[in-house]
Amino acid sequence: MTQRLTNLAIGLIPVILALLFTTLILLIVGAPPGEAYRNIVQGALESPDKWASVVTATVPLLLCSAGLLITFAAGLWNIGVEGQIVAGALLTTWLALNLTLPSILFIPLLLMAGLVGGALWGLLVGWLKVYGGVHEIFGGVGLNFIAIVLTNYLIFGPWKPAGRATMSGTEPFPAEAWLPRLGNLAVYPIAVILALVAIALVYLALRGTTWGLKLKAIGNNQRSAFLMGIPTHQYMMGAFLLCGALAGLAGSIQAIGVRQRLIPGISGGYGFLSLLVVLLAGYRPLWVIPIALFFAAVGVGSPRLELNMQLDSALGGTLQGLVVLFVLLAQGVKKRDA
Amino acid sequence: MKIELRDIKKYFGPVRANDGITLTVEPGTIHGLLGENGAGKTTLMKVLTGFISADGGEIRVDGKPVHFTSPAESIRYGIGMLHQDPLDFPPLKVLDNLLLAFDNRLIPNRRGARRVLKELSQRFHFSLDPDARVNTLTVGERQQLEILRLLALGAEVIILDEPTTGISAPQKVLLFATLRRLAKEEGKSVIFVSHKLEEVEELCDRVTVLRRGKVTGHLEVPFRADQLVQLMFGQSLPKSERPPVTLGEPVLELQDVTVQTYRLTVPHVSLTVRAGEVIGLAGLEGSGQRLMLQACVGLQKPSSGRVLLGGQDFTRRSYRDFLAAGVAYLPAGRIEEGLIRGLTLTEHYVLAQRDHQPFFIDWAAATNGIQKKINEFNIRGRPDTPVEALSGGNQQRALLSLLPPALKLLALEHPTRGLDIESAMWVWEQLLARRRSGTAILFISADLDELLERSDRIVVFSGGVMAPPHRRGPHLGRGTGVFDRGREAGSVMCDA
């Protein structure tokens, strides 16, 4: 019982501290904290439209987190997940702008393109690491940058809308490429199902398969795993491939669902945010779902601060960041005292 | 400096690592702390140096009660410890390691440090190159660097935790001379932690014997060996017998194999290992025996020559091919290279079932499987115990229990390093049972007794060169003839 209580305290104290800190920041800038929090909550939850936005924002977080659970299990810091989202979106866009098929064929093909694009970008990080000796963090950061620059080049160059190039992106995709909505709501049932299936599969794979166990073995001690006869390089490449594929799927959904075109910054920072989600979840797949929902809600609710209170909506990001920092801090303190 | 420990208590959960230990270390003496694995020696020394805090008891330095909360604090009082694994900074140079210890200025005083290093090295006849990188040194040299570092920091009490594991015979001779000199000529106190009777007998003035967290006796020189054994174990242990074995077909053949790394070349080794044979690889650490052992299991690719396994050419085959062909390799670092920290015994069991790994894990079957192994191999742990929670001896038991049932060749590095006598004997019982079923065994050891007692043949490495095998008849016990040959092996080891 006391064990339960301490665990609960370790879970709750960081959240309370994060709220206190955010409150302090609000007080320093002279904004009434109560009103700010009310705005975030209302901004996220006041209407079915908002609910829909929260669910839609949760989808890329879940897909990327599912992928990151795999790479984290193998002990890999796949910072490149952001670039892998973009790569998925790019390959999807290429097909969407150059093909026209009936929706029933087109949409699966475009989603598949997202998987492939992200997987290739992920494999590149893996290849650099395994065969080139480039740490995956550096490889990932480099490839993120290249993906962004490549997007901008394509938007302002080969893929620019007829006659004019703007920050608002490419020409909208043909209607056959659009991911179907749920009635009038900006929610995409196919995307939601794919995201939940991804988390469920990763959960099962890491928990109950020899494949998942071998990944964990590699993540905890690559040398021992190798000496046990596990083909560590193949497994690491596999982890990058799968994580990239899931991130690329998220990118594809952003392109043919939320935006219906390619825009600069198509990844929306969901890759980096997913890293925080997985860290906060302590690498536990089932915890990823509520945490992703929370992050999505804060993200959807925060712009209201700008609208109603002339505060910067980045405050939502500050809150998210603080929660993660305090949770990691609490875990660190617990580990040190143990 | 006089150190008094009074009624020191340290508990880890239900384990009483130190259960009321009292002892006094006089200045100018070498004080032995003797006990088998898990007797509480290292814990006690970690308490003394502030690495961990005691649950009860008192420490007095020169009569004054002290309370250390960190090793930095204890070294300020002049108490320094040489840990089992050297706590240095491998990618840095020898000189910089020394500088890190005592130079707190913004711009390091390299010239001063070089002078200190030279003076101290000369005083103790160490030959340390100030500009060598630490990761190129042998364990013995890293130990020497640590001793110099502690002296440079002004240590009056020097604690050495199992300092002779992994160092060569001549380095041991030099180490002992250094310790005697520190105690007799410079008046320092030396605490020598060991589970090796002979070393304590050879070196120490006084000895405190620990058993299961308690002091079982204090003795002064001259010690009586049987008395020490009884204090350590509570009983006297019989020497093991070597049952005769008939050797089978050749399992492994090295034909004029040369292995090259950027540090060392092991040239032109030819060796035939037959089924059921036990071959010991001896020599100074870093003399090439490890490279050769790794070449035998496919972890090092020969630059010339051929490696035959069961008559087939395996020279260019991968490590995984060797495993599939019935080879197993147990590295020296049990938790670093053998087991996987963070995974449970059950999870290790699943990973070890190489031949039948269904995609979905049957956890119930795996738990049953490992429970059988736990009973059979007498592992002190449960199926859900993470391996890092096991003691060194139990980690070795776990590793042995996870080996595939039928093996052609088993290669081991230091199979009993750091184990107490009982565990070591048990390990060899397992290995000898394997040889009876036709497994050839290749092992590296730094323990001359173990090499002599267990090997059918010993090959000695020196600076990369392998001397021709020393053969001993399997019918011989530790008779004089064999022992002479052992001396010979020993002398080859010492010449290096």
Side-chain angles (χ1 to χ4, degrees), chain B residues 50-279:
Chain B
F51 212 88
I52 50 179
S53 60
D55 296 327
E58 189 184 43
I59 302 171
R60 283 167 180 254
V61 172
D62 285 336
K64 276 186 250 112
V66 291
H67 183 77
F68 303 134
T69 53
S70 74
E73 213 174 317
S74 74
I75 191 75
R76 270 202 300 275
Y77 275 82
I79 302 175
M81 176 155 171
L82 227 82
H83 289 265
Q84 242 167 26
D85 309 301
L87 299 178
D88 48 22
F89 303 86
L92 294 187
K93 288 179 182 174
V94 166
L95 189 67
D96 293 337
N97 264 278
L98 201 64
L99 270 169
L100 280 173
F102 66 93
D103 198 322
N104 291 324
R105 302 186 313 174
L106 190 59
I107 298 166
N109 179 6
R110 286 223 156 67
R111 191 175 297 175
R114 195 177 286 271
R115 200 181 56 236
V116 170
L117 183 65
K118 202 174 160 200
E119 276 171 19
L120 285 171
S121 296
Q122 272 173 359
R123 198 156 101 204
F124 297 105
H125 310 291
F126 295 164
S127 52
L128 288 172
D129 173 5
D131 298 310
R133 292 197 187 275
V134 169
N135 50 17
T136 65
L137 301 185
T138 64
V139 176
E141 285 169 333
R142 288 167 71 170
Q143 219 172 45
Q144 294 169 359
L145 173 63
E146 282 278 288
I147 292 177
L148 295 191
R149 189 177 66 88
L150 293 177
L151 291 175
L153 281 166
E156 288 296 315
V157 178
I158 293 182
I159 302 164
L160 299 101
D161 191 2
E162 304 279 4
T164 56
T165 37
I167 69 171
S168 64
Q171 281 173 336
K172 189 168 127 181
V173 172
L174 182 58
L175 175 71
F176 281 13
T178 306
L179 296 180
R180 283 197 193 95
R181 185 175 166 150
L182 283 173
K184 302 305 159 211
E185 293 175 28
E186 312 201 357
K188 312 231 188 253
S189 316
V190 174
I191 303 179
F192 184 83
V193 179
S194 180
H195 67 272
K196 291 184 186 152
L197 272 178
E198 322 83 71
E199 294 178 356
V200 169
E201 281 180 300
E202 184 185 339
L203 184 69
C204 300
D205 305 311
R206 305 185 62 200
V207 60
T208 299
V209 187
L210 296 187
R211 181 160 193 259
R212 291 187 187 163
K214 290 193 161 119
V215 174
T216 50
H218 297 285
L219 297 178
E220 308 256 345
V221 271
F223 311 118
R224 275 180 47 209
D226 57 338
Q227 204 179 355
L228 285 176
V229 169
Q230 198 160 21
L231 289 174
M232 263 176 93
F233 299 101
Q235 80 220 7
S236 305
L237 291 168
K239 271 278 172 200
S240 60
E241 289 293 311
R242 286 177 56 87
V245 163
T246 26
L247 300 183
E249 293 291 302
V251 171
L252 175 83
E253 282 170 82
L254 303 180
Q255 297 177 346
D256 199 30
V257 168
T258 298
V259 184
Q260 254 176 327
T261 65
Y262 67 101
R263 276 171 61 183
L264 186 70
T265 301
V266 183
H268 308 299
V269 170
S270 293
L271 184 69
T272 303
V273 185
R274 295 168 63 189
E277 192 172 23
V278 180
I279 296 190

